[in-house]
Amino acid sequence: MATWIAEGVVFSIFVYQLKKKRHRLLGGFPFLTRLKGLYTKRIFILGIPVAMLNTFFAVINLFMGRTATTHGGHLGLMTLTAGGQLEAIAWNTSQGFSTALSTFVAQNFAAGQKNRLKGAYHTTLLMTSVFGFLCTILFVFFGNEIFSLIIPEKEAYEAGGIFLRIDGYSMIFMMIEITIQGLFYGTGRTIPPAIISITFNSVRVPLAIILSSMLGVEGVWWAISITSMAKGIVSFIWFRTLQKRIF
């Protein structure tokens, strides 16, 4: 009920702002309008890869949850769920910087201001890398303490601490992936991030099965960490191959 009420309030505020203040916010265009073929096609071309990326991520997480439950029982599922929420704090924070980068890049890419693109990219990459490094320190060395803030049972927060330690090694790579993702989006290239994310997220399932057969539930955590590292590395290499076209 709390979720429903919160979503309803936020939706109402958005509608109010768009309807009552649209002249100031959006130049006066109507809240509802007919679809236009050219715009609709372009939105689908840009949006479908991103939608598939997020959909596959959600589906793959279900399979990861099953694998974690098989090898770790209720503690395995709890660790994956709560640990993923803690990881999301870092992910969502860096996603904010990535969104800002995407907006800035889109504006200046269209205007041909390549020097501004370089400056924005390097600044954002530095900021997210520093944040990723801090998250690595916190997760690797203080995983138990962080997990105990939300789950007080010793057995549970110790299991969660192991997850954060293993996942913490991939934080900087995750920040690199998210930063470059924003750069790609800003230049209208939504397909490369989708290919990278869908490919390596899909690899998580068989890799988790293989590693968990040798390491137990920790193999699932290593599968998540390794694939996150791979996504960051491949994203950076892919960007470097296209850098001259962008900058």
Side-chain angles (χ1 to χ4, degrees):
M1 287 298 297
T3 302
W4 190 95
I5 293 171
E7 294 287 356
V9 170
V10 172
F11 174 76
S12 299
I13 292 173
F14 279 153
V15 171
Y16 172 79
Q17 292 290 332
L18 290 170
K19 292 290 288 183
K20 299 299 182 181
K21 299 183 179 181
R22 64 179 184 271
H23 294 286
R24 186 177 65 184
L25 291 174
L26 303 171
F29 71 86
F31 182 66
L32 297 175
T33 185
R34 290 184 178 182
L35 294 177
K36 296 184 179 181
L38 179 62
Y39 299 153
T40 303
K41 180 181 178 181
R42 184 61 176 164
I43 290 171
F44 267 97
I45 291 173
L46 292 174
I48 285 178
V50 182
M52 291 179 62
L53 180 160
N54 291 304
T55 301
F56 269 90
F57 181 79
V59 172
I60 289 166
N61 260 5
L62 294 176
F63 287 100
M64 295 297 288
R66 179 178 177 84
T67 307
T69 304
T70 300
H71 294 276
H74 67 282
L75 281 178
L77 182 60
M78 176 281 303
T79 301
L80 179 66
T81 304
Q85 294 298 320
L86 287 170
E87 180 195 42
I89 295 174
W91 187 89
N92 285 321
T93 301
S94 59
Q95 190 70 51
F97 290 109
S98 177
T99 301
L101 176 64
S102 178
T103 305
F104 189 88
V105 166
Q107 181 183 19
N108 289 279
F109 183 74
Q113 299 290 336
K114 294 187 176 181
N115 288 332
R116 291 184 180 180
L117 299 183
K118 290 182 181 180
Y121 164 66
H122 291 146
T123 300
T124 306
L125 186 61
L126 176 61
M127 294 170 66
T128 53
S129 296
V130 170
F131 185 71
F133 177 75
L134 293 175
C135 288
T136 295
I137 297 298
L138 287 174
F139 286 3
V140 172
F141 295 102
F142 303 100
N144 284 8
E145 290 77 5
I146 294 173
F147 223 95
S148 66
L149 295 175
I150 58 174
I151 301 180
E153 289 80 7
K154 182 178 180 181
E155 187 180 12
Y157 71 67
E158 286 181 347
I162 294 173
F163 169 85
L164 291 181
R165 175 177 59 80
I166 295 173
D167 192 48
Y169 299 134
S170 67
M171 286 294 102
I172 292 179
F173 296 94
M174 184 180 73
M175 301 302 172
I176 292 173
E177 178 204 359
I178 293 172
T179 301
I180 294 177
Q181 188 180 83
L183 186 63
F184 276 130
Y185 289 168
T187 59
R189 295 173 170 86
T190 57
I191 293 179
I195 292 175
I196 294 169
S197 181
I198 291 172
T199 299
F200 286 102
N201 285 338
S202 298
V203 169
R204 279 184 178 179
V205 177
L207 184 60
I209 293 173
I210 294 170
L211 293 179
S212 60
S213 65
M214 299 182 290
L215 304 173
V217 72
E218 290 186 24
V220 180
W221 315 150
W222 278 112
I224 294 172
S225 185
I226 290 170
T227 51
S228 290
M229 294 179 192
K231 287 192 291 182
I233 293 170
V234 173
S235 294
F236 183 75
I237 293 173
W238 197 323
F239 161 70
R240 293 290 292 181
T241 61
L242 297 175
Q243 185 172 0
K244 291 183 178 180
R245 300 184 195 177
I246 298 174
F247 294 155

